[in-house]
Amino acid sequence: MYANGWHIGERTPENYAHHAKKAVEEQGYPALKCDPFAHYEYSLTDDQIQEVADLLEAVRDAVGWDVGIGLDCHGRFTRRGAIEVANALEEYDIMFLEEPVELEDREVMADVTQHVNVPVATGERIYNNETTEEIVRKQACDIIQPDVTNYGSLQDIQHAAAIAKSRYMTIAPHNPNAGVSTAASLHLCAGFENLEILEHMSRDVPWGDEVIQHEFEVEDGAIAVPDEPGLGVTFDEDAARAHPGEPKDSHSLFDADGALKRP
């Protein structure tokens, strides 16, 4: 497992180090993922790269070099900007660079993958095996990241893993989600021969235990696959209805002026 959502509060080396140490030592995660790039887009200046480097150096000092560190770029960089960032941060032994550029242009993603020494991961916005096959065929990444809440079916994700395996690539399912998604992802991962690692949110909403009555505890860097019937978790529909989702402006494709926003 790797932890997402472990960093909260100020974007400072001290705060990053504090929360990284808690996730590793108190919660037992063997790897972490974060987006240390703030609001920066397209490319970074030397000073901005140094800011990010200072954060990663603090995390490395706090957790050591045996802990994996993944960086989520959210597709924000240009081709040149992504390559510059990867080369500048390579020394911190990055586990993977997630979505350094927009996935919609497979050729650019493939070009970045071929020009950096950091493993490139992508796939949270892949919905079917036709797209996965194209990405794998073009060698547009090193690790595929299908999300069980987006993909066609559980069986389709099994096929996606096999497609990746045929070209010596690994799979690390995208899972910044709640208990049902985590349970389904655990069952899938148990059958992957080419599993890299699975994402898990290290923090949950206060009422999360009311909706999913199951403890996902990290032990020895892993979470046990639930062995009860079905996905192995109990879903309380009434509890879920008591906490409906709230629309957020960030979910709109358009800004206040009607212009298309970047994802």
Side-chain angles (χ1 to χ4, degrees):
M1 310 300 298
Y2 72 81
N4 192 0
W6 54 271
H7 174 258
I8 55 176
E10 295 180 335
R11 184 175 170 272
T12 64
E14 296 77 16
N15 199 38
Y16 260 65
H18 170 73
H19 287 290
K21 196 167 185 178
K22 285 186 64 176
V24 171
E25 295 185 358
E26 296 181 17
Q27 295 181 277
Y29 289 100
L32 311 168
K33 184 177 80 175
C34 63
D35 179 348
F37 302 107
H39 58 278
Y40 303 139
E41 289 187 307
Y42 307 122
S43 62
L44 271 61
T45 66
D46 289 344
D47 288 344
Q48 290 167 346
I49 287 178
Q50 187 59 53
E51 284 180 26
V52 177
D54 289 344
L55 297 176
L56 296 180
E57 184 174 0
V59 171
R60 276 286 173 228
D61 288 343
V63 302
W65 290 85
D66 291 333
V67 173
I69 298 178
L71 302 181
D72 196 342
C73 307
H74 290 107
R76 57 157 57 87
F77 295 122
T78 62
R79 173 194 170 279
R80 177 179 60 83
I83 293 172
E84 288 177 348
V85 164
N87 291 341
L89 303 179
E90 176 186 338
E91 63 179 289
Y92 297 103
D93 192 17
I94 303 305
M95 179 171 64
F96 58 72
L97 199 67
E98 182 173 321
E99 289 202 328
V101 295
E102 299 282 5
L103 179 60
E104 283 72 17
D105 195 324
R106 324 280 194 246
E107 286 77 13
V108 173
M109 184 74 80
D111 194 43
V112 171
T113 299
Q114 293 163 14
H115 282 86
V116 301
N117 295 321
V118 174
V120 171
T122 191
E124 67 185 72
R125 288 180 280 171
I126 297 176
Y127 305 105
N128 55 59
N129 283 328
E130 288 78 13
T131 306
T132 295
E133 191 277 333
E134 181 185 3
I135 289 167
V136 170
R137 178 167 43 82
K138 293 184 182 225
Q139 296 286 281
C141 65
D142 302 289
I143 305 166
I144 64 167
Q145 297 177 296
D147 188 314
V148 70
T149 67
N150 291 339
Y151 223 79
S153 69
L154 301 186
Q155 187 178 50
D156 284 340
I157 294 186
Q158 289 178 314
H159 291 165
I163 292 169
K165 182 175 180 290
S166 71
R167 297 299 293 270
Y168 309 99
M169 295 162 66
T170 55
I171 182 170
H174 183 257
N175 180 49
N177 308 311
V180 173
S181 172
T182 296
S185 297
L186 286 169
H187 281 282
L188 282 169
C189 288
F192 293 154
E193 294 183 17
N194 55 332
L195 175 66
E196 180 83 24
I197 198 166
L198 174 63
E199 180 175 13
H200 185 242
M201 294 302 289
S202 62
R203 294 181 293 115
D204 197 0
V205 292
W207 41 267
D209 291 340
E210 300 172 19
V211 177
I212 298 296
Q213 299 166 20
H214 186 88
E215 292 291 333
F216 293 105
E217 295 185 1
V218 179
E219 185 174 348
D220 295 329
I223 294 179
V225 180
D227 59 3
E228 296 297 319
L231 293 179
V233 297
T234 300
F235 177 69
D236 190 323
E237 295 183 17
D238 291 334
R241 291 191 183 97
H243 302 281
E246 297 179 2
K248 294 183 179 180
D249 180 65
S250 60
H251 292 165
S252 172
L253 292 175
F254 303 93
D255 62 23
D257 297 324
L260 185 65
K261 295 194 299 188
R262 288 173 53 81

